């Protein structure tokens, strides 16, 4: 079904006597990515009265009321006046961003939005993190309950930032009575995204750590936007996991993708990942590898109980991801340019040989000590 004409939506959103009785919703990070998709979705919804879009540049949604500013600017409080809910999506999780600068932006931005929302009289703030905050651990249940303990550490890309965002979200209602905070945690997000986990599928071989038990659960951005709309409309609240129903075992992923595995011992894989990141050859720290080793699948029962259902299956999202990354070449998390692409297979083999050499060296040292 096509969206209403932008002029019709703009007239509806900006009318002095709107027929829509739903909430006024502000979206940060509205010009691109998930923010842009959600802004369009809310602007087209008959249940939303008005959309306030906030970003450092203007996006394409003509039906929204735009404010151009940095979310760390305290002036954002004035822009939020009249809003019933704020969806905070202005987070930087780019693999190439300096980690210290990324953390400073994410933490300060979230602090400012929460404080500004309370000052502006906003009723609800919706934060978006990731199911990565549960941690990928060998003893995780399949699936985890949404109220399971958050056992992630700050060792993977951006996870430390997401844990801090969640901590700020838990503290905000105590510091600002009357402010409600809902946290939406998507599984591996697919649909115009670039993360260490989507890059995993750009490799010529899927790295599998010997003895590991991976389980893959995906979330299409369309389903995330649908879940965020549920949160905005207060259909469901609290901490919400969102993703496809069930999960895929590693063998299923390999069969569906047609990509063969490259198996390495745990010590070799983790040691190589740490060294490559330390010398600046890869953007992903060794902590990212845990999310390809152990399960972190979540049930998503709260959204299901509220009547929400994903439109996408894990198999469909994986197919979409493979179509998106076709032609890209990544080795050990580092994306190669076209000139390097022909060497991708050799590079993968080199990593394996280096790992094997390390094992051989340790074995030789052990024999010398005998």
């Amino acid at each position: 079904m096509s969206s209403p004409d932008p002029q019709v939506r703009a007239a509806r959103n900006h009318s002095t006597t709107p027929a829509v009785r739903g909430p006024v919703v502000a979206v940060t990070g509205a010009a691109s990515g998930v923010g842009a998709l959600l802004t369009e979705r809310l602007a087209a919804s008959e249940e939303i009265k008005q959309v306030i879009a906030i970003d450092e540049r203007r996006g394409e949604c003509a039906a929204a009321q735009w404010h151009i500013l940095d979310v760390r600017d305290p002036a954002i409080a004035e822009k939020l006046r009249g809003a019933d809910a704020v969806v905070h999506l202005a987070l930087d999780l780019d693999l190439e961003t300096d980690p210290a600068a990324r953390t400073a932006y994410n933490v300060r931005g979230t602090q400012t939005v929460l404080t500004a929302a309370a000052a502006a009289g906003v009723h609800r703030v919706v934060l978006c993190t990731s199911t990565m905050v549960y941690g990928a651990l060998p003893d995780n249940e399949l699936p985890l309950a949404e109220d399971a303990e958050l056992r992630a550490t700050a060792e993977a890309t951006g996870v430390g930032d997401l844990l801090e965002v969640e901590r700020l979200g838990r503290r905000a209602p105590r510091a600002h009575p009357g402010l409600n905070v809902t946290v939406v945690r998507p599984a591996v997000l697919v649909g115009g995204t670039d993360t260490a986990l989507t890059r995993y599928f750009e490799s010529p071989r899927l790295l599998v750590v010997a003895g590991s038990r991976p389980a893959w659960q995906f979330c299409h951005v369309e389903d995330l936007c649908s879940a965020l709309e549920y949160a905005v409309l207060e259909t469901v609240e609290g901490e919400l996991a969102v993703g496809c129903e069930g999960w895929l075992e590693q063998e299923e992923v390999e069969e569906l993708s047609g990509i063969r595995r490259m198996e390495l011992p745990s010590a070799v894989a983790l040691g190589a990942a740490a060294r490559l990141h330390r010398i600046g050859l890869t953007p992903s720290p060794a902590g990212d590898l845990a999310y390809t080793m152990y399960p972190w699948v979540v049930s998503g029962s709260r959204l299901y109980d509220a009547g929400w259902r994903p439109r996408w299956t894990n198999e469909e999202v994986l197919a979409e991801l493979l179509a998106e990354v076709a032609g890209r070449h990544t080795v050990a998390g580092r994306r190669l340019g076209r000139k390097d692409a022909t060497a991708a297979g050799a590079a993968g083999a080199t990593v394996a040989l280096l790992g094997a050499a390390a094992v051989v060296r340790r074995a030789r040292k052990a024999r010398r000590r005998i």
Side-chain angles (χ1 to χ4, degrees):
M1 182 181 296
S2 60
S3 300
D5 182 83
Q7 292 183 343
V8 173
R9 285 180 291 163
R12 188 189 76 217
N13 274 343
H14 294 291
S15 172
T16 56
T17 57
V20 180
R21 296 182 180 179
V24 175
V25 182
V27 179
T28 69
S32 61
V34 177
L37 293 173
L38 180 64
T39 299
E40 288 283 0
R41 181 186 181 95
L42 296 179
S45 173
E46 295 297 332
E47 297 184 83
I48 302 298
K49 180 177 179 181
Q50 183 181 10
V51 179
I52 300 171
I54 298 172
D55 210 318
E56 294 178 56
R57 64 178 180 84
R58 187 181 180 87
E60 297 181 359
C61 182
Q65 177 185 335
W66 285 89
H67 295 294
I68 313 303
L69 79 165
D70 190 312
V71 291
R72 296 169 292 182
D73 187 342
I76 194 173
E78 188 59 34
K79 311 304 181 185
L80 296 179
R81 294 201 182 278
D84 299 294
V86 177
V87 184
H88 178 47
L89 297 173
L91 291 177
D92 180 2
L93 297 175
D94 193 317
L95 290 172
E96 311 299 337
T97 302
D98 173 72
R102 181 176 60 216
T103 296
Y105 176 84
N106 291 336
V107 174
R108 182 60 179 168
T110 302
Q111 287 174 327
T112 304
V113 167
L114 287 167
T115 302
V122 174
H123 174 64
R124 179 174 304 278
V125 174
V126 180
L127 302 175
C128 186
T129 60
S130 167
T131 53
M132 292 179 77
V133 296
Y134 290 100
L137 298 158
D139 62 344
N140 275 349
E141 294 183 358
L142 265 173
L144 289 163
E146 281 169 302
D147 58 0
E149 180 185 358
L150 305 187
R151 298 198 290 163
T153 65
E155 295 174 355
T157 303
V159 174
D161 294 3
L162 298 180
L163 289 169
E164 181 61 17
V165 166
E166 294 230 0
R167 188 184 71 83
L168 292 169
R170 287 192 298 271
R171 290 178 53 190
R174 298 196 295 269
H176 308 289
L179 180 67
N180 298 287
V181 177
T182 296
V183 179
V184 178
R185 300 166 178 157
V188 179
L189 196 58
V190 175
T193 58
D194 177 26
T195 67
L197 293 168
T198 59
R199 288 191 182 188
Y200 177 80
F201 294 92
E202 298 178 16
S203 300
R205 296 285 186 271
L206 297 179
L207 175 62
V208 176
V209 176
S212 65
R213 185 172 63 105
W216 292 90
Q217 181 183 36
F218 299 98
C219 177
H220 196 276
V221 291
E222 291 179 357
D223 283 336
L224 173 57
C225 288
S226 171
L228 290 169
E229 184 176 10
Y230 259 66
V232 162
L233 294 172
E234 302 184 27
T235 306
V236 63
E237 56 186 29
E239 290 78 35
L240 314 171
V242 54
C244 300
E245 187 172 2
W247 63 89
L248 298 175
E249 303 286 352
Q250 181 70 24
E251 291 76 15
E252 293 177 284
V253 166
E254 292 170 19
E255 182 179 354
L256 291 167
S257 67
I259 307 175
R260 290 182 292 173
R261 69 169 59 193
M262 179 177 71
E263 191 164 317
L264 291 176
S266 175
V268 173
L270 292 168
R275 287 192 297 273
L276 290 170
H277 182 66
R278 187 168 57 248
I279 62 179
L281 288 182
T282 65
S284 300
D288 286 349
L289 201 55
Y291 290 89
T292 69
M293 294 171 62
Y294 306 119
W296 44 294
V297 173
V298 183
S299 70
S301 59
R302 288 176 181 163
L303 276 166
Y304 273 69
D305 290 345
W308 180 90
R309 294 292 184 274
R311 294 185 60 186
W312 293 72
T313 66
N314 281 303
E315 291 84 354
E316 290 169 341
V317 179
L318 176 59
E320 176 93 354
L321 172 57
L322 294 171
E324 281 191 7
V325 304
R328 299 178 190 167
H329 301 276
T330 294
V331 172
R334 185 176 76 87
R335 183 169 291 155
L336 305 178
R338 289 184 178 180
K339 293 181 179 179
D340 300 321
T342 55
T350 300
V351 172
L353 288 172
L354 288 172
V359 173
V360 170
R361 284 196 298 272
R362 283 198 296 272
R364 286 174 177 171
K365 289 180 180 178
R367 283 198 298 270
R368 292 194 192 104
R369 288 196 293 268
I370 296 174

